[in-house]
Amino acid sequence: MFVVMSDSHYDRDVVQSIKSKYLNEATAIFHCGDSELPSSDEIWQGITVVAGNCDYDSGYHDFLTQEVEGKKVLITHGHLFYVGLGLDRYSYFAEEKNADIALFGHIHQPVAQKINNILYVNPGSVAQPRGKYDIKMYAIIEIEGEAFKVSYRNLQHEPIPELQFRL
């Protein structure tokens, strides 16, 4: 089980809350950018984090890959792939990187879908939700054989009933 959050926009407390809840339970914790915190902040110990379009600290990477539970996870913010216009560009990149799971942020809205056997997940925003779901949220991903369970949670760490997927 691993945790994915994004777009915390200076809200260090929400990052700390999620980290504290899952640090000893999750195999990995990811932040998909736009934290607006320094890359040297100690909060990032135990969290894989990338640069967003609002992160100007050169200590962040634009994308990273990491092996988690036997799956290759690609993480980026998404702005460099124009994810607000769709996942075409990001999906080409994810295929090129041989990703099993591709995480992204930027649009502040939940996305959980498979394209060409790659799972794409946007965890929404823990600070500034947009779109249909006006809920500050993050995602939990569980690997079940060749299937994935994606569960969106509110900041009280409760599942959001209409945002539970098995893909």
Side-chain angles (χ1 to χ4, degrees):
M1 178 266 287
F2 55 98
V3 180
V4 186
M5 67 180 108
S6 191
D7 296 280
S8 51
H9 293 284
Y10 286 117
D11 191 340
R12 189 178 189 282
D13 291 342
V14 74
V15 175
Q16 184 60 55
S17 170
I18 294 167
K19 178 182 177 178
S20 296
K21 168 81 174 153
Y22 295 102
L23 189 60
N24 296 319
E25 187 179 339
T27 52
I29 301 175
F30 296 96
H31 190 295
C32 300
D34 273 2
S35 71
E36 300 186 67
L37 299 174
S39 64
S40 60
D41 193 313
E42 66 183 25
I43 198 154
W44 301 129
Q45 292 174 14
I47 299 177
T48 301
V49 59
V50 294
N53 57 297
C54 294
D55 294 313
Y56 301 107
D57 187 317
S58 63
Y60 291 113
H61 295 277
D62 289 331
F63 71 91
L64 292 168
T65 58
Q66 183 174 329
E67 197 79 19
V68 179
E69 298 179 33
K71 301 292 184 185
K72 188 173 185 181
V73 179
L74 170 65
I75 177 174
T76 193
H77 185 59
H79 62 296
L80 300 175
F81 299 97
Y82 304 97
V83 295
L85 301 174
L87 294 179
D88 289 345
R89 288 184 177 151
Y90 190 36
S91 67
Y92 297 139
F93 186 70
E95 288 176 24
E96 185 179 284
K97 294 293 180 187
N98 295 311
D100 298 300
I101 301 168
L103 308 175
F104 66 102
H106 190 57
I107 60 172
H108 297 226
Q109 298 177 50
V111 172
Q113 70 181 78
K114 266 187 160 179
I115 302 170
N116 295 331
N117 267 346
I118 300 172
L119 175 68
Y120 292 84
V121 173
N122 185 309
S125 172
V126 293
Q128 300 172 0
R130 295 180 189 151
K132 179 179 177 181
Y133 299 99
D134 189 23
I135 303 167
K136 295 176 181 180
M137 68 178 83
Y138 63 95
I140 302 283
I141 300 174
E142 295 175 81
I143 299 169
E144 298 175 339
E146 290 304 309
F148 300 100
K149 180 180 174 189
V150 181
S151 174
Y152 288 86
R153 308 284 173 99
N154 62 28
L155 298 188
Q156 290 72 48
H157 311 294
E158 303 162 332
I160 301 167
E162 62 271 28
L163 293 173
Q164 307 298 306
F165 305 96
R166 186 177 174 82
L167 301 163

